[in-house]
Amino acid sequence: MTFSEQIVYAMFRPSKYKEMLELRKSRFVLFVIVLMLALGIVRVAVPTAAMITGFGGFENLFINKMAPMEYKDNKLSIEDKFEMSLGSYKVIVDTEEAKVADEKMRRRGGYLAFGSEYVTIAYNSGGSVSRYQEIRLDGLLAEGFNNESLKNMIPFIYSYIVMSFIISCLGYFLKYALLSLIFGIFVNSINKTMDIGLSKGEVFKLCFYGQTLGIIISNFNMALGFLPAGIVSGICVVISINIISTGIFTMVKTKQP
C-alpha cells in the first residue's frame, strides 16, 4: 500500500482499515507526522507568510512603516500610534499613557499592548477586556531601544515563528489523539463484545484514521473562513463517528463465518 493510498483510504475507504492496521507502526507514525505538518502549513505557515509578505518583511515594517520609537529614561515613546495583527493577536504601541486603555482594545481577540511604561497582555471577549498580565517595560527593554534594535531582533522573531509552527503541530496531534482515545471507548466496547481481537494500539490507530476527512475539512474551513467553525467542527465529528463505525463494523462482518 502506497502512502497516497493510505491517505485516500483513511478518508474514503474504511473497509480498508483492517489492511492499514497491519502496516508497520512506522507507516502510521509517518502518516500522523505528514497530516499534522499539513495542518501547520495551512493554519500557521501560509497565513504567517501572507502577513509578512503583506507588509514587505520585518525590516521594511520596523524601519519604514513603523513610526520612530525609542525607550529612554524608563519610558517608551513613539511618534504615531502603531497597530498590526500578528496571528491571533493584535499588537498596539500607543505611548500616550503608561498603560494602553481598554477602549483602545475595541475589537474582539487577543492583544499585546505597549504603553509608555507597561506592556499588557489582554483579551477582548466581545465588549469586555480581560487583562491577564501587565509587565513593566524597564524589565524588558534596554535604554536606547529603538527601531534599529527591532531590526536586529528579526532572526529571533523568525526563530519564534518556527517554534510556534512546531508547537502548533504538536498541539494538533494532542487534540486529535485525545479525540481518538474518546472515540476508542466506543470502539473498544464493540471490540470486546464482538471479539474482533484488536489491541488498544490498533483501536487508537483506527480512530485516528477515521478522523482524517473531518480533520482536513474542519481545518481548511477554519483557514479559509467559509462557514462558522463550530458548526463545521460538529459536522466533522459526526463524519468521523460514521467513518469509524463503518470501519469497525466492516471488521465485524469479515470475522463472521
Side-chain angles (χ1 to χ4, degrees):
M1 185 183 295
T2 65
F3 184 75
S4 59
E5 287 175 333
Q6 194 178 357
I7 295 174
V8 173
Y9 292 164
M11 292 191 291
F12 304 114
R13 297 286 299 277
S15 60
K16 292 285 188 178
Y17 281 8
K18 181 64 175 176
E19 294 178 38
M20 294 170 68
L21 295 181
E22 294 171 355
L23 297 173
R24 297 191 305 273
K25 289 182 180 180
S26 59
R27 296 286 300 276
F28 174 71
V29 172
L30 178 61
F31 176 88
V32 172
I33 290 174
V34 171
L35 183 58
M36 296 304 106
L37 287 176
L39 297 188
I41 290 170
V42 171
R43 294 285 302 280
V44 179
V46 171
T48 301
M51 176 191 68
I52 295 172
T53 302
F55 54 67
F58 285 109
E59 182 173 345
N60 183 58
L61 174 69
F62 297 147
I63 302 302
N64 299 321
K65 293 195 172 185
M66 180 183 283
M69 173 191 69
E70 185 177 18
Y71 186 72
K72 186 176 180 181
D73 299 328
N74 292 329
K75 285 193 176 182
L76 182 67
S77 62
I78 190 168
E79 291 186 6
D80 292 308
K81 178 181 176 182
F82 174 80
E83 291 188 22
M84 69 169 289
S85 294
L86 187 62
S88 60
Y89 269 79
K90 298 169 185 65
V91 178
I92 297 176
V93 183
D94 186 343
T95 57
E96 290 182 352
E97 301 177 42
K99 302 175 183 178
V100 177
D102 286 0
E103 55 266 25
K104 294 182 178 179
M105 295 182 276
R106 298 181 300 275
R107 300 168 68 181
R108 187 183 185 93
Y111 284 87
L112 193 63
F114 291 83
S116 61
E117 297 180 35
Y118 291 86
V119 55
T120 301
I121 301 172
Y123 191 87
N124 186 324
S125 57
S128 176
V129 176
S130 301
R131 293 173 176 260
Y132 295 114
Q133 196 169 8
E134 292 178 339
I135 306 169
R136 290 190 61 88
L137 291 177
D138 57 12
L140 294 177
L141 304 181
E143 185 74 8
F145 185 90
N146 56 21
N147 300 66
E148 191 66 28
S149 303
L150 278 173
K151 175 186 171 182
N152 294 334
M153 291 178 63
I154 290 176
F156 297 101
I157 294 173
Y158 279 115
S159 297
Y160 170 78
I161 291 173
V162 172
M163 186 61 64
S164 296
F165 173 81
I166 294 172
I167 291 172
S168 295
C169 292
L170 290 174
Y172 297 138
F173 169 71
L174 292 175
K175 173 183 176 180
Y176 295 113
L178 177 60
L179 283 173
S180 295
L181 292 173
I182 294 172
F183 291 144
I185 296 172
F186 162 73
V187 174
N188 262 319
S189 65
I190 299 175
N191 180 41
K192 292 178 180 179
T193 303
M194 300 296 182
D195 193 26
I196 302 172
L198 297 178
S199 67
K200 290 182 179 179
E202 288 173 328
V203 169
F204 177 83
K205 288 195 287 185
L206 185 150
C207 292
F208 208 101
Y209 281 134
Q211 293 183 79
T212 305
L213 181 59
I215 288 172
I216 292 173
I217 292 174
S218 62
N219 282 279
F220 270 79
N221 177 71
M222 287 180 187
L224 300 174
F226 286 141
L227 297 169
I231 294 175
V232 175
S233 294
I235 293 172
C236 288
V237 168
V238 174
I239 291 173
S240 297
I241 292 173
N242 182 62
I243 292 175
I244 292 169
S245 300
T246 302
I248 191 69
F249 284 118
T250 298
M251 293 180 195
V252 171
K253 289 179 181 178
T254 55
K255 184 177 176 59
Q256 293 174 349

